[in-house]
Amino acid sequence: SSPSISTRSTSVHFDLKTYWTILIAEINQKLDEAIPIQYPERIYEAMRYSVLGEGAKRAPPIMCVAACELFGGNRLVAFPTACALEMVHAASLIHDDLPCMDDDPSRRGKPSNHTIYGVDMAILAGDALFPLGFQHIVSHTPMDLVPESRILRVIAEIARAVGSTGMAAGQFLDLEGGPNSVEFVQEKKFGEMGELSAVCGGLLAGAEDDEVERLRRYGRAVGVLYQVVDDILEEKSKGKNENGERKKRDKSYVGLYGIEKAMEVAEELRTKAKKELDGFDKYSEAAIPLYSFVDYAVDRGFSV
Amino acid sequence: REEQEEERPNFDFKAYMVQRANSVNKALDDAVLLRHPQKIHEAMRYSLLAGGKRVRPVLCIAACELVGGQESMAMPAACAVEMIHTMSLIHDDLPCMDNDDLRRGKPTNHKVFGEDVAVLAGDALLAFAFEHIAVSTVGVSASRIIRAVGELAKSIGSEGLVAGQVVDINSEGLSDVGVEQLEFIHVHKTAALLEGAVVLGAILGGGSDIEVEKLRKFARYIGLLFQVVDDILDVTKSSQELGKTAGKDLVADKVTYPKLMGIEKSREFAQKLNRDAQDQLSGFDPDKAAPLIALANYIANRQN
């Protein structure tokens, strides 16, 4: 069921699945502890529902950890930010699904937040998860292991990425329709999270400015790549499973240009992402997890 | 007319407020620019620059100066607090929440821009508040800025502002809401952000832990005071005088202080809160404390 794009795996001796599985377990546990249920319970239940949903791949936090380790950073420094990424990401997805926005009754095969908790609670759950991300970074990052100035840059980066020129802009342009380029909407809606994840990891580890820019381009390409491949896979499975319950995203490459062109775009993105990583050759070993994400995005060789 | 607490004879509160509100308005105007995509930034500016008394930002700056800081150290935080306040009003006014058409004498954000844009504009203001503090605060150590970010996040999330809104929504139409629950609503819904404003100012201005905690208590009292007065005004004033829909607490069958304890007892309670608040300021330089004393009196005696 995976798209037939050639595989040029660089990760011969690297077991991404194990790396990923171990990190997922750690991230899940930390997220679970970060949102304990207290009074008023319903809001915490709503927040937990979207952050702790089973089967989440945790790609943003894992990319953040991997980018931090690329520059020799301690993963303990990256964990709180990694968790924060999941919180702000969940917040924006909850709001994107609202009836007044994409009006999606389900997400990842489960009822969306407002379907279960009501529109008012869903709005508030999102409003609470954004600041919880920042709070979590401030209260959990081991300040003895990382200069405070780096944490400030991470906070600014997250705020920028979810804000009015980042993910909120993507969602707005997607809703508005009109003559916006598919590249722009896809980059804002899906590339921004990948970019943010890679950049935060690099910032925490003290990457140089040009290295951060490289991570920025890498993360953005990988974020869009995941979505393009998702759209391709979905389009392909439609033939067998003709329910048509999901609204067609006319702002996707597949929706606009068809599968062939979308596969070309995917191949270009894969090449672009890897080219950025090639610039890190002095860290060759440590870059392997980041390379393997690129191939995984296309091949989906295993499920986690 | 309620009693006037002692004020410094030479302190011109009206001039102080006008001057401070003007600097805050200018800083807000400069902070949120009309960028691409235009409409979402227009929506942000529409509500943010709609007037308002700027009580929170002025409190933030006054607290900063009280502990020996400069206005410039607290200005980004003061703007951030106003952005968060505005964001919570935009979301609160939505049809799925309080369904209000009028705010500060103007049509509410979703009436002008639509519900989808109103949700996004709120989210974007929330995010930008954090970006603004992290990026634009100058003359303050990274460690204090990070502390301020943590405080702000805590005051607006599920342990603060959002908790108040959740319990408020859950209490609507219930006949057995007691004073304790009402106090929970207001301490979280209103006092938390006022507390955030004051505490942020004190931290950024270089206040000691003892000073910060005294000012935190001061803010909690005036936060509750603010809401008790709001409840009283809601039953005693017209919509025109208030610039928002009057009597809406009664229509929505919301529990209020006048309903629970009567108007007279509510007024007495307000006076007690004002005295308790001002007691917290007794150890500070009286000249520097004058603005906060006057602000407390203003909150107690305001007519809209």
Side-chain angles (χ1 to χ4, degrees), chain B residues 241-270:
Chain B
E241 285 171 296
L242 292 178
K244 60 182 177 185
T245 317
K248 73 172 192 198
D249 294 343
L250 284 173
V251 175
D253 203 19
K254 281 190 177 174
V255 64
T256 64
Y257 284 97
K259 245 197 260 180
L260 277 182
M261 51 174 75
I263 296 259
E264 271 322 298
K265 276 267 187 311
S266 301
R267 288 197 166 120
E268 282 168 28
F269 183 43

PDB file of all heavy atoms in Angstrom, chain B residues 241-270:
ATOM      1  N   GLU B 241     -24.558  52.638  29.395  1.00  0.00           N
ATOM      2  CA  GLU B 241     -23.560  53.085  30.361  1.00  0.00           C
ATOM      3  C   GLU B 241     -22.372  52.125  30.416  1.00  0.00           C
ATOM      4  O   GLU B 241     -21.248  52.535  30.642  1.00  0.00           O
ATOM      5  CB  GLU B 241     -24.194  53.193  31.756  1.00  0.00           C
ATOM      6  CG  GLU B 241     -25.098  54.395  31.932  1.00  0.00           C
ATOM      7  CD  GLU B 241     -25.868  54.324  33.253  1.00  0.00           C
ATOM      8  OE1 GLU B 241     -26.690  53.397  33.413  1.00  0.00           O
ATOM      9  OE2 GLU B 241     -25.622  55.179  34.110  1.00  0.00           O
ATOM     10  N   LEU B 242     -22.638  50.838  30.225  1.00  0.00           N
ATOM     11  CA  LEU B 242     -21.584  49.836  30.354  1.00  0.00           C
ATOM     12  C   LEU B 242     -20.812  49.634  29.057  1.00  0.00           C
ATOM     13  O   LEU B 242     -19.674  49.179  29.078  1.00  0.00           O
ATOM     14  CB  LEU B 242     -22.182  48.492  30.776  1.00  0.00           C
ATOM     15  CG  LEU B 242     -22.770  48.432  32.188  1.00  0.00           C
ATOM     16  CD1 LEU B 242     -23.354  47.048  32.429  1.00  0.00           C
ATOM     17  CD2 LEU B 242     -21.726  48.740  33.240  1.00  0.00           C
ATOM     18  N   GLY B 243     -21.431  49.944  27.920  1.00  0.00           N
ATOM     19  CA  GLY B 243     -20.777  49.666  26.645  1.00  0.00           C
ATOM     20  C   GLY B 243     -20.802  48.190  26.314  1.00  0.00           C
ATOM     21  O   GLY B 243     -20.096  47.707  25.444  1.00  0.00           O
ATOM     22  N   LYS B 244     -21.579  47.419  27.052  1.00  0.00           N
ATOM     23  CA  LYS B 244     -21.785  46.011  26.724  1.00  0.00           C
ATOM     24  C   LYS B 244     -23.177  45.640  27.216  1.00  0.00           C
ATOM     25  O   LYS B 244     -23.840  46.449  27.860  1.00  0.00           O
ATOM     26  CB  LYS B 244     -20.731  45.126  27.379  1.00  0.00           C
ATOM     27  CG  LYS B 244     -20.724  45.202  28.898  1.00  0.00           C
ATOM     28  CD  LYS B 244     -19.606  44.335  29.467  1.00  0.00           C
ATOM     29  CE  LYS B 244     -19.553  44.480  30.991  1.00  0.00           C
ATOM     30  NZ  LYS B 244     -18.423  43.770  31.585  1.00  0.00           N
ATOM     31  N   THR B 245     -23.633  44.460  26.895  1.00  0.00           N
ATOM     32  CA  THR B 245     -24.985  44.074  27.233  1.00  0.00           C
ATOM     33  C   THR B 245     -25.174  43.994  28.751  1.00  0.00           C
ATOM     34  O   THR B 245     -24.513  43.197  29.413  1.00  0.00           O
ATOM     35  CB  THR B 245     -25.320  42.715  26.611  1.00  0.00           C
ATOM     36  OG1 THR B 245     -24.823  42.699  25.275  1.00  0.00           O
ATOM     37  CG2 THR B 245     -26.808  42.470  26.601  1.00  0.00           C
ATOM     38  N   ALA B 246     -26.036  44.855  29.302  1.00  0.00           N
ATOM     39  CA  ALA B 246     -26.286  44.836  30.746  1.00  0.00           C
ATOM     40  C   ALA B 246     -27.304  43.756  31.084  1.00  0.00           C
ATOM     41  O   ALA B 246     -28.073  43.316  30.241  1.00  0.00           O
ATOM     42  CB  ALA B 246     -26.812  46.194  31.200  1.00  0.00           C
ATOM     43  N   GLY B 247     -27.275  43.336  32.328  1.00  0.00           N
ATOM     44  CA  GLY B 247     -28.268  42.379  32.794  1.00  0.00           C
ATOM     45  C   GLY B 247     -28.103  41.000  32.184  1.00  0.00           C
ATOM     46  O   GLY B 247     -28.944  40.135  32.343  1.00  0.00           O
ATOM     47  N   LYS B 248     -26.968  40.792  31.488  1.00  0.00           N
ATOM     48  CA  LYS B 248     -26.827  39.505  30.802  1.00  0.00           C
ATOM     49  C   LYS B 248     -26.607  38.376  31.797  1.00  0.00           C
ATOM     50  O   LYS B 248     -26.917  37.231  31.503  1.00  0.00           O
ATOM     51  CB  LYS B 248     -25.717  39.563  29.765  1.00  0.00           C
ATOM     52  CG  LYS B 248     -24.340  39.575  30.347  1.00  0.00           C
ATOM     53  CD  LYS B 248     -23.289  39.441  29.267  1.00  0.00           C
ATOM     54  CE  LYS B 248     -21.955  39.160  29.932  1.00  0.00           C
ATOM     55  NZ  LYS B 248     -20.812  39.408  29.091  1.00  0.00           N
ATOM     56  N   ASP B 249     -26.092  38.708  32.975  1.00  0.00           N
ATOM     57  CA  ASP B 249     -25.933  37.675  33.994  1.00  0.00           C
ATOM     58  C   ASP B 249     -27.299  37.135  34.430  1.00  0.00           C
ATOM     59  O   ASP B 249     -27.468  35.951  34.666  1.00  0.00           O
ATOM     60  CB  ASP B 249     -25.199  38.230  35.221  1.00  0.00           C
ATOM     61  CG  ASP B 249     -23.754  38.605  34.879  1.00  0.00           C
ATOM     62  OD1 ASP B 249     -23.270  38.146  33.825  1.00  0.00           O
ATOM     63  OD2 ASP B 249     -23.158  39.346  35.652  1.00  0.00           O
ATOM     64  N   LEU B 250     -28.260  38.073  34.520  1.00  0.00           N
ATOM     65  CA  LEU B 250     -29.604  37.654  34.907  1.00  0.00           C
ATOM     66  C   LEU B 250     -30.248  36.819  33.807  1.00  0.00           C
ATOM     67  O   LEU B 250     -30.843  35.782  34.058  1.00  0.00           O
ATOM     68  CB  LEU B 250     -30.475  38.887  35.199  1.00  0.00           C
ATOM     69  CG  LEU B 250     -30.196  39.571  36.529  1.00  0.00           C
ATOM     70  CD1 LEU B 250     -30.992  40.874  36.638  1.00  0.00           C
ATOM     71  CD2 LEU B 250     -30.540  38.655  37.699  1.00  0.00           C
ATOM     72  N   VAL B 251     -30.095  37.316  32.561  1.00  0.00           N
ATOM     73  CA  VAL B 251     -30.683  36.599  31.438  1.00  0.00           C
ATOM     74  C   VAL B 251     -30.092  35.196  31.332  1.00  0.00           C
ATOM     75  O   VAL B 251     -30.797  34.214  31.142  1.00  0.00           O
ATOM     76  CB  VAL B 251     -30.437  37.375  30.118  1.00  0.00           C
ATOM     77  CG1 VAL B 251     -30.933  36.568  28.928  1.00  0.00           C
ATOM     78  CG2 VAL B 251     -31.145  38.718  30.168  1.00  0.00           C
ATOM     79  N   ALA B 252     -28.777  35.115  31.470  1.00  0.00           N
ATOM     80  CA  ALA B 252     -28.117  33.817  31.355  1.00  0.00           C
ATOM     81  C   ALA B 252     -28.301  32.983  32.610  1.00  0.00           C
ATOM     82  O   ALA B 252     -27.804  31.875  32.701  1.00  0.00           O
ATOM     83  CB  ALA B 252     -26.625  34.029  31.076  1.00  0.00           C
ATOM     84  N   ASP B 253     -29.000  33.528  33.585  1.00  0.00           N
ATOM     85  CA  ASP B 253     -29.233  32.835  34.834  1.00  0.00           C
ATOM     86  C   ASP B 253     -27.909  32.490  35.518  1.00  0.00           C
ATOM     87  O   ASP B 253     -27.721  31.413  36.042  1.00  0.00           O
ATOM     88  CB  ASP B 253     -30.046  31.564  34.587  1.00  0.00           C
ATOM     89  CG  ASP B 253     -30.772  31.133  35.863  1.00  0.00           C
ATOM     90  OD1 ASP B 253     -30.922  31.979  36.752  1.00  0.00           O
ATOM     91  OD2 ASP B 253     -31.151  29.959  35.968  1.00  0.00           O
ATOM     92  N   LYS B 254     -26.990  33.448  35.470  1.00  0.00           N
ATOM     93  CA  LYS B 254     -25.699  33.227  36.109  1.00  0.00           C
ATOM     94  C   LYS B 254     -25.773  33.641  37.563  1.00  0.00           C
ATOM     95  O   LYS B 254     -26.455  34.600  37.916  1.00  0.00           O
ATOM     96  CB  LYS B 254     -24.621  34.045  35.411  1.00  0.00           C
ATOM     97  CG  LYS B 254     -24.146  33.415  34.140  1.00  0.00           C
ATOM     98  CD  LYS B 254     -22.918  34.123  33.632  1.00  0.00           C
ATOM     99  CE  LYS B 254     -22.419  33.399  32.374  1.00  0.00           C
ATOM    100  NZ  LYS B 254     -21.328  34.068  31.741  1.00  0.00           N
ATOM    101  N   VAL B 255     -25.008  32.935  38.377  1.00  0.00           N
ATOM    102  CA  VAL B 255     -24.973  33.315  39.775  1.00  0.00           C
ATOM    103  C   VAL B 255     -24.041  34.524  39.917  1.00  0.00           C
ATOM    104  O   VAL B 255     -23.030  34.628  39.242  1.00  0.00           O
ATOM    105  CB  VAL B 255     -24.519  32.127  40.642  1.00  0.00           C
ATOM    106  CG1 VAL B 255     -23.114  31.728  40.307  1.00  0.00           C
ATOM    107  CG2 VAL B 255     -24.660  32.446  42.107  1.00  0.00           C
ATOM    108  N   THR B 256     -24.463  35.485  40.760  1.00  0.00           N
ATOM    109  CA  THR B 256     -23.658  36.694  40.965  1.00  0.00           C
ATOM    110  C   THR B 256     -23.645  37.024  42.461  1.00  0.00           C
ATOM    111  O   THR B 256     -24.452  36.486  43.222  1.00  0.00           O
ATOM    112  CB  THR B 256     -24.263  37.910  40.230  1.00  0.00           C
ATOM    113  OG1 THR B 256     -25.550  38.187  40.802  1.00  0.00           O
ATOM    114  CG2 THR B 256     -24.414  37.646  38.736  1.00  0.00           C
ATOM    115  N   TYR B 257     -22.757  37.913  42.837  1.00  0.00           N
ATOM    116  CA  TYR B 257     -22.718  38.320  44.253  1.00  0.00           C
ATOM    117  C   TYR B 257     -24.023  38.984  44.689  1.00  0.00           C
ATOM    118  O   TYR B 257     -24.560  38.644  45.748  1.00  0.00           O
ATOM    119  CB  TYR B 257     -21.502  39.208  44.527  1.00  0.00           C
ATOM    120  CG  TYR B 257     -20.239  38.409  44.591  1.00  0.00           C
ATOM    121  CD1 TYR B 257     -19.412  38.294  43.477  1.00  0.00           C
ATOM    122  CD2 TYR B 257     -19.883  37.698  45.736  1.00  0.00           C
ATOM    123  CE1 TYR B 257     -18.264  37.513  43.513  1.00  0.00           C
ATOM    124  CE2 TYR B 257     -18.747  36.923  45.775  1.00  0.00           C
ATOM    125  CZ  TYR B 257     -17.942  36.833  44.661  1.00  0.00           C
ATOM    126  OH  TYR B 257     -16.818  36.055  44.700  1.00  0.00           O
ATOM    127  N   PRO B 258     -24.566  39.936  43.918  1.00  0.00           N
ATOM    128  CA  PRO B 258     -25.839  40.527  44.347  1.00  0.00           C
ATOM    129  C   PRO B 258     -26.936  39.479  44.531  1.00  0.00           C
ATOM    130  O   PRO B 258     -27.751  39.576  45.443  1.00  0.00           O
ATOM    131  CB  PRO B 258     -26.185  41.491  43.197  1.00  0.00           C
ATOM    132  CG  PRO B 258     -24.880  41.840  42.595  1.00  0.00           C
ATOM    133  CD  PRO B 258     -24.033  40.612  42.724  1.00  0.00           C
ATOM    134  N   LYS B 259     -26.933  38.468  43.664  1.00  0.00           N
ATOM    135  CA  LYS B 259     -27.951  37.423  43.803  1.00  0.00           C
ATOM    136  C   LYS B 259     -27.741  36.603  45.060  1.00  0.00           C
ATOM    137  O   LYS B 259     -28.685  36.211  45.739  1.00  0.00           O
ATOM    138  CB  LYS B 259     -27.900  36.494  42.584  1.00  0.00           C
ATOM    139  CG  LYS B 259     -29.164  36.556  41.727  1.00  0.00           C
ATOM    140  CD  LYS B 259     -29.229  35.371  40.812  1.00  0.00           C
ATOM    141  CE  LYS B 259     -28.771  35.758  39.419  1.00  0.00           C
ATOM    142  NZ  LYS B 259     -28.825  34.635  38.480  1.00  0.00           N
ATOM    143  N   LEU B 260     -26.482  36.327  45.373  1.00  0.00           N
ATOM    144  CA  LEU B 260     -26.181  35.469  46.522  1.00  0.00           C
ATOM    145  C   LEU B 260     -26.285  36.214  47.843  1.00  0.00           C
ATOM    146  O   LEU B 260     -26.720  35.667  48.842  1.00  0.00           O
ATOM    147  CB  LEU B 260     -24.766  34.891  46.402  1.00  0.00           C
ATOM    148  CG  LEU B 260     -24.608  33.643  45.545  1.00  0.00           C
ATOM    149  CD1 LEU B 260     -23.157  33.189  45.572  1.00  0.00           C
ATOM    150  CD2 LEU B 260     -25.512  32.516  46.049  1.00  0.00           C
ATOM    151  N   MET B 261     -25.856  37.497  47.881  1.00  0.00           N
ATOM    152  CA  MET B 261     -25.796  38.188  49.170  1.00  0.00           C
ATOM    153  C   MET B 261     -26.507  39.539  49.172  1.00  0.00           C
ATOM    154  O   MET B 261     -26.472  40.231  50.192  1.00  0.00           O
ATOM    155  CB  MET B 261     -24.336  38.331  49.635  1.00  0.00           C
ATOM    156  CG  MET B 261     -23.394  38.934  48.607  1.00  0.00           C
ATOM    157  SD  MET B 261     -21.722  39.254  49.274  1.00  0.00           S
ATOM    158  CE  MET B 261     -21.009  37.624  49.358  1.00  0.00           C
ATOM    159  N   GLY B 262     -27.131  39.895  48.051  1.00  0.00           N
ATOM    160  CA  GLY B 262     -27.809  41.194  48.003  1.00  0.00           C
ATOM    161  C   GLY B 262     -26.840  42.308  47.641  1.00  0.00           C
ATOM    162  O   GLY B 262     -25.630  42.178  47.814  1.00  0.00           O
ATOM    163  N   ILE B 263     -27.388  43.428  47.160  1.00  0.00           N
ATOM    164  CA  ILE B 263     -26.541  44.531  46.692  1.00  0.00           C
ATOM    165  C   ILE B 263     -25.727  45.153  47.825  1.00  0.00           C
ATOM    166  O   ILE B 263     -24.535  45.407  47.698  1.00  0.00           O
ATOM    167  CB  ILE B 263     -27.414  45.628  46.035  1.00  0.00           C
ATOM    168  CG1 ILE B 263     -28.103  45.078  44.784  1.00  0.00           C
ATOM    169  CG2 ILE B 263     -26.588  46.864  45.716  1.00  0.00           C
ATOM    170  CD1 ILE B 263     -27.464  45.449  43.488  1.00  0.00           C
ATOM    171  N   GLU B 264     -26.392  45.406  48.963  1.00  0.00           N
ATOM    172  CA  GLU B 264     -25.698  46.088  50.063  1.00  0.00           C
ATOM    173  C   GLU B 264     -24.513  45.282  50.567  1.00  0.00           C
ATOM    174  O   GLU B 264     -23.412  45.785  50.722  1.00  0.00           O
ATOM    175  CB  GLU B 264     -26.680  46.391  51.210  1.00  0.00           C
ATOM    176  CG  GLU B 264     -27.381  47.727  51.056  1.00  0.00           C
ATOM    177  CD  GLU B 264     -26.455  48.827  50.497  1.00  0.00           C
ATOM    178  OE1 GLU B 264     -25.448  49.141  51.163  1.00  0.00           O
ATOM    179  OE2 GLU B 264     -26.713  49.343  49.383  1.00  0.00           O
ATOM    180  N   LYS B 265     -24.756  44.006  50.827  1.00  0.00           N
ATOM    181  CA  LYS B 265     -23.681  43.129  51.315  1.00  0.00           C
ATOM    182  C   LYS B 265     -22.572  43.005  50.281  1.00  0.00           C
ATOM    183  O   LYS B 265     -21.388  42.931  50.621  1.00  0.00           O
ATOM    184  CB  LYS B 265     -24.241  41.732  51.630  1.00  0.00           C
ATOM    185  CG  LYS B 265     -24.877  41.596  53.010  1.00  0.00           C
ATOM    186  CD  LYS B 265     -23.831  41.102  53.998  1.00  0.00           C
ATOM    187  CE  LYS B 265     -24.355  40.766  55.385  1.00  0.00           C
ATOM    188  NZ  LYS B 265     -25.206  41.771  56.026  1.00  0.00           N
ATOM    189  N   SER B 266     -22.946  43.021  49.006  1.00  0.00           N
ATOM    190  CA  SER B 266     -21.929  42.956  47.951  1.00  0.00           C
ATOM    191  C   SER B 266     -21.052  44.194  47.991  1.00  0.00           C
ATOM    192  O   SER B 266     -19.830  44.122  47.827  1.00  0.00           O
ATOM    193  CB  SER B 266     -22.583  42.851  46.569  1.00  0.00           C
ATOM    194  OG  SER B 266     -23.387  41.715  46.488  1.00  0.00           O
ATOM    195  N   ARG B 267     -21.684  45.343  48.227  1.00  0.00           N
ATOM    196  CA  ARG B 267     -20.901  46.587  48.307  1.00  0.00           C
ATOM    197  C   ARG B 267     -19.956  46.565  49.497  1.00  0.00           C
ATOM    198  O   ARG B 267     -18.805  47.001  49.401  1.00  0.00           O
ATOM    199  CB  ARG B 267     -21.844  47.789  48.396  1.00  0.00           C
ATOM    200  CG  ARG B 267     -22.561  48.065  47.075  1.00  0.00           C
ATOM    201  CD  ARG B 267     -23.159  49.466  47.054  1.00  0.00           C
ATOM    202  NE  ARG B 267     -23.534  49.821  45.681  1.00  0.00           N
ATOM    203  CZ  ARG B 267     -24.770  50.131  45.295  1.00  0.00           C
ATOM    204  NH1 ARG B 267     -25.769  50.167  46.183  1.00  0.00           N
ATOM    205  NH2 ARG B 267     -25.028  50.421  44.040  1.00  0.00           N
ATOM    206  N   GLU B 268     -20.441  46.052  50.629  1.00  0.00           N
ATOM    207  CA  GLU B 268     -19.575  45.952  51.814  1.00  0.00           C
ATOM    208  C   GLU B 268     -18.391  45.025  51.550  1.00  0.00           C
ATOM    209  O   GLU B 268     -17.258  45.301  51.935  1.00  0.00           O
ATOM    210  CB  GLU B 268     -20.371  45.416  53.012  1.00  0.00           C
ATOM    211  CG  GLU B 268     -21.250  46.457  53.667  1.00  0.00           C
ATOM    212  CD  GLU B 268     -22.227  45.825  54.662  1.00  0.00           C
ATOM    213  OE1 GLU B 268     -21.904  44.757  55.237  1.00  0.00           O
ATOM    214  OE2 GLU B 268     -23.329  46.396  54.849  1.00  0.00           O
ATOM    215  N   PHE B 269     -18.695  43.905  50.878  1.00  0.00           N
ATOM    216  CA  PHE B 269     -17.646  42.938  50.547  1.00  0.00           C
ATOM    217  C   PHE B 269     -16.589  43.602  49.667  1.00  0.00           C
ATOM    218  O   PHE B 269     -15.380  43.427  49.880  1.00  0.00           O
ATOM    219  CB  PHE B 269     -18.282  41.731  49.844  1.00  0.00           C
ATOM    220  CG  PHE B 269     -17.322  40.615  49.516  1.00  0.00           C
ATOM    221  CD1 PHE B 269     -16.363  40.194  50.425  1.00  0.00           C
ATOM    222  CD2 PHE B 269     -17.388  39.968  48.276  1.00  0.00           C
ATOM    223  CE1 PHE B 269     -15.488  39.163  50.131  1.00  0.00           C
ATOM    224  CE2 PHE B 269     -16.509  38.929  47.975  1.00  0.00           C
ATOM    225  CZ  PHE B 269     -15.560  38.534  48.899  1.00  0.00           C
ATOM    226  N   ALA B 270     -17.049  44.404  48.710  1.00  0.00           N
ATOM    227  CA  ALA B 270     -16.123  45.104  47.823  1.00  0.00           C
ATOM    228  C   ALA B 270     -15.197  46.023  48.624  1.00  0.00           C
ATOM    229  O   ALA B 270     -13.986  46.074  48.385  1.00  0.00           O
ATOM    230  CB  ALA B 270     -16.897  45.898  46.769  1.00  0.00           C
TER     231      ALA B 270
END
